[in-house]
Amino acid sequence: MKLIVTSDLHCHPHRVGSADGRGRDRLADGLSALDQTLALARKHGAVWVFCGDLKGPKDVWLVACLNGVRATLARYADVRKVAIPGNHDRLEGVHGGGLEPLREFMTVYDTPTVERAPKMFMAAWPWGAGHRDELPAFLNEAAKARRDGPVVLLAHLMLAGVHLGPTDVQRPDRGLPLDAFRPGEALDVGLFGDVHKGQVYAGGWRTYADLSVMVEEKPRKGRQKAQVGPGATSGQGGAIPLRAPGPWRGEVVGPGSPYQQGGGEINEWPKGALLIDVATGQVGLLPVRAPRFCELAVETVEGLEGWAAHASGA
């Protein structure tokens, strides 16, 4: 089974960074990124997997945003879609979770679930860092399922030690430890939303900019070492290679946001949606373009003053 994996779209008419100060271009970027990732799933015959934070404000869906998301999802009725809510989607509310209005278009996991899919198991943990007392039983169920096929974990939370922001600062004192999810025992590969910088854990956290960590360092005889960097292709639908085929080893992948959303994401390369072949273990990154906001470049902290002024139309 192939997956197109993305997260943290935060579709909303954000005024900060908007060319006209009204946010219409920012909403268009979010909806465009959503459309592009769904188109990639259709192209590759893959399941579209979303790891949380589809909307911006935690307590409300703006009508224009909700209608735009619903219309986009409806155009891809032929694509199987699964999603978990993020902290911005609010799992619990007066009228249900934030993804409740989208259930007619996709499967929403809003309780811990281990479910069989073709040739694999999908293990969804939608509760973030909460309900820790229920995590062991959930992971025991996932570990039992691994006897019959690979387990792919979906979650939305910050893990300790991940790279944050344009400086790659790490906060080992914040977030849940990765060991809490028993990688390699209860899961074959974990997909974690929340942090916008795309990165992987394979003996240590590495961002997508350091692609060589997931590419075969010493190719077997007769095989060429995969090219990495801008424009590199893996033979996997033109994707930038992040992991060569091979048995899963309990890796964790943070898909990150597929497009630039704020000043804290400057100089983050590359961005896009993941193409994962669960059967072979191959992982690639397919670029997503959201050109309006990406044209705003903030090279220094001092430049943020001008960036904010741009948002108000100054």
Side-chain angles (χ1 to χ4, degrees):
M1 175 178 281
K2 292 183 179 180
L3 312 175
I4 288 290
V5 184
T6 190
S7 181
D8 295 274
L9 281 164
H10 292 283
C11 294
H12 186 74
H14 302 281
R15 294 189 177 186
V16 175
S18 171
D20 63 3
R22 301 181 65 180
R24 289 177 295 187
D25 52 345
R26 300 291 311 277
L27 175 57
D29 266 356
L31 294 176
S32 171
L34 173 61
D35 185 273
Q36 290 176 68
T37 59
L38 288 164
L40 289 171
R42 174 184 285 167
K43 176 181 177 180
H44 292 277
V47 178
W48 183 81
V49 176
F50 188 75
C51 294
D53 280 1
L54 187 52
K55 64 189 184 73
K58 296 180 179 180
D59 299 321
V60 66
W61 270 107
L62 293 189
V63 172
C65 182
L66 178 58
N67 286 344
V69 169
R70 285 175 57 85
T72 303
L73 294 173
R75 289 197 296 272
Y76 293 90
D78 57 312
V79 174
R80 184 187 173 198
K81 315 170 193 68
V82 299
I84 60 170
N87 56 306
H88 280 253
D89 300 317
R90 291 298 290 268
L91 179 58
E92 299 171 353
V94 175
H95 302 289
L99 300 185
E100 194 69 25
L102 308 175
R103 283 186 181 275
E104 65 184 281
F105 305 110
M106 62 187 184
T107 300
V108 177
Y109 295 116
D110 54 10
T111 59
T113 304
V114 179
E115 182 175 89
R116 180 182 288 275
K119 300 182 180 179
M120 59 170 281
F121 288 87
M122 198 82 76
W125 177 258
W127 285 346
H131 299 267
R132 288 286 301 278
D133 57 328
E134 299 186 35
L135 184 57
F138 166 75
L139 293 174
N140 288 341
E141 185 180 357
K144 183 178 179 180
R146 282 193 73 229
R147 303 170 189 170
D148 298 317
V151 171
V152 177
L153 172 73
L154 312 182
H156 185 94
L157 57 92
M158 177 178 166
L159 292 168
V162 295
H163 293 280
L164 302 169
T167 61
D168 285 349
V169 63
Q170 293 175 281
R171 293 292 304 274
D173 58 321
R174 299 285 298 276
L176 287 183
L178 176 58
D179 290 346
F181 287 90
R182 292 156 49 187
E185 176 193 352
L187 62 97
D188 291 275
V189 58
L191 307 174
F192 283 76
D194 191 30
V195 176
H196 290 201
K197 181 185 286 286
Q199 54 200 287
V200 298
Y201 186 92
W205 287 106
R206 303 292 182 88
T207 67
Y208 290 169
D210 188 14
L211 299 177
S212 60
V213 67
M214 298 300 278
V215 178
E216 192 176 39
E217 293 290 346
K218 296 181 179 180
R220 293 189 292 275
K221 185 176 181 181
R223 294 180 59 182
Q224 292 184 341
K225 182 174 180 179
Q227 177 189 2
V228 298
T233 59
S234 65
Q236 189 192 23
I240 299 169
L242 298 182
R243 186 187 194 276
W248 294 108
R249 298 182 294 273
E251 291 96 338
V252 168
V253 182
S257 170
Y259 70 114
Q260 183 183 348
Q261 296 179 44
E265 297 179 46
I266 59 170
N267 300 326
E268 285 191 10
W269 178 91
K271 280 184 173 288
L274 296 176
L275 174 58
I276 298 179
D277 190 322
V278 178
T280 67
Q282 188 171 17
V283 181
L285 186 79
L286 294 163
V288 168
R289 287 183 54 82
R292 297 169 181 83
F293 186 65
C294 286
E295 292 174 354
L296 296 177
V298 184
E299 302 296 339
T300 65
V301 173
E302 291 77 10
L304 286 173
E305 181 178 351
W307 181 66
H310 183 82
S312 63

